[in-house]
Amino acid sequence: MNFEFKNIEFRNFFDIDLNKYDKKAIKVSFISIAVMLLISIISTILIKLNFDGVTRINIFSILLSFHLSALKVKNMMVFSISTVKIGIIILLIIPVIVLSITNLFIYKREFDSIKECMYESFKIAFLYGMFLSVIAIFSRVKINMGIDAMFGFGYNNSTTIGYKLIYSFVNGFMIAFITSTILNWKKEFYGRYYFVDIVFSALKVFINLFVITLIITTIVSFTKNYTFSDFGLTTYSKGFGIVAYIAQIASYLMIILSGGSVEIGDKSDSLSIFSVFNKSIFMDTKLIIFIVFSIFALTMILIGSKIYKNYRYDNKKMILHFSVFYSFFISVISRFSAISISTSSIKSFSSFEIIAKSNPVLVFISAMILSMIFLNIGYKATEELEEYL
């Protein structure tokens, strides 16, 4: 693939015809939410049929859980507030597929410029996020379990469960914006602009590494499923749990192989490629981390070599640009794969946290530095080899 090193013109970014695409952004976001709501209703019915004792499930909560929104639990009896983030990364596939199909159905090949494409993606993301934030309001459920529930007086032992409004908006915005932008860029501008091509090159490498990591995780999980217990996750059971478990472990391995760290258990403990051999974890886990890291390093070295062979006379900054976009995709995985339960009590002024998460900003920085190092190794090695020969 040959890159065309064209610059994107961002001057007068908002100097576009706002009515050109009529109400297509509204249609995409509304139809996507409607389809997600239908999927949530079906999921609710299946849950009730397969789990005895589950009689009351909030459909809106199911919908927000597909977008990995943060759950807030407030107990008035003990004055405690808990925030639950269950970043089961596999669930994101559902809204991404729905948004992709809706985008393809509503928008044809009609974008004249990248700025128009990004503006429409921004509108879709904003509206989609707003829909989710409104749904978050209706997701709240209040449960009374104390003496006041029986006699109408006594202690207030009510528990309020609901999703955070701002968190729901941010998640919805990110999912819709990234999905819409990448999909429409691929459909309209791939092969025409360097900026777009380098994004998809980084995305392709990211997907390939994730698939390889997923295969390795699957093999290890079915042979020695105790190996990944170091990540603080219980072993899977059956059915969907197997898929969710493997995808979750693969996500954490992607963060680690890219130079990031995953916090396990409490904030004082973390697992990264730089500390893995100093930790008291299974030797099998250390071996798997070393293998996936070696694959990452070799991949980046080969890409660095390819950059030198094909583009050394055009733009060496491709190494930096590639690293930035690859690191962005890793940081997105970090953002959405966080699992944590944090609770604080006003009575005891104490808090605890059970976590398996990472800092997206630090992951971005670490991944960019590490990928640039290996890309430069491949670039320089090929340059030296060419001069020697």
Side-chain angles (χ1 to χ4, degrees), residues 161-190:
I161 303 174
Y163 285 84
K164 288 189 173 183
L165 188 149
I166 299 298
Y167 205 93
S168 299
F169 173 82
V170 172
N171 276 22
F173 183 92
M174 289 182 63
I175 295 168
F177 184 78
I178 294 173
T179 301
S180 300
T181 300
I182 290 180
L183 180 70
N184 288 317
W185 276 5
K186 172 68 173 178
K187 181 166 61 77
E188 301 283 353
F189 305 108
Y190 184 65

Side-chain angles (χ1 to χ4, degrees), residues 275-295:
S275 64
V276 62
F277 292 102
N278 297 326
K279 299 292 182 181
S280 298
I281 60 176
F282 289 114
M283 182 55 67
D284 290 343
T285 304
K286 294 179 180 180
L287 181 60
I288 295 303
I289 292 175
F290 178 75
I291 290 173
V292 294
F293 176 75
S294 299
I295 294 172

Side-chain angles (χ1 to χ4, degrees), residues 77 85 87 110 152 159 193 219 237 258 276 301 340 361 377 386:
M77 180 66 177
K85 297 178 183 178
E110 56 187 21
T159 299
Y193 292 96
I219 295 172
S237 53
S258 300
V276 62
I301 290 172
S340 67
V361 176
I377 290 175
E386 187 178 78

Side-chain angles (χ1 to χ4, degrees), residues 316-325 368 372 375:
K316 187 182 177 181
K317 290 183 179 179
M318 178 185 285
I319 290 177
L320 174 62
H321 300 157
F322 182 94
S323 298
V324 168
F325 290 116
M368 187 172 68
M372 284 188 66
L375 286 170

Side-chain angles (χ1 to χ4, degrees), residues 64 132-141 163 165:
L64 290 168
L132 287 186
S133 62
V134 172
I135 290 173
I137 298 175
F138 294 98
S139 71
R140 296 172 186 169
V141 177
Y163 285 84
L165 188 149

Side-chain angles (χ1 to χ4, degrees), residues 20 44 47 53 89 96 121 149 157 175 181 189 194 202 208 251 285 295 306 316 324 328 335 349 357 362 371 379 386:
K20 181 175 181 179
T44 301
I47 291 173
I89 200 73
V96 167
S121 297
N157 191 18
I175 295 168
T181 300
F189 305 108
Y194 161 77
N208 288 339
S251 300
T285 304
I295 294 172
K306 182 179 179 181
K316 187 182 177 181
V324 168
F328 170 75
R335 166 70 169 73
F349 296 99
K357 67 176 185 178
L362 295 180
S371 59
Y379 190 97
E386 187 178 78

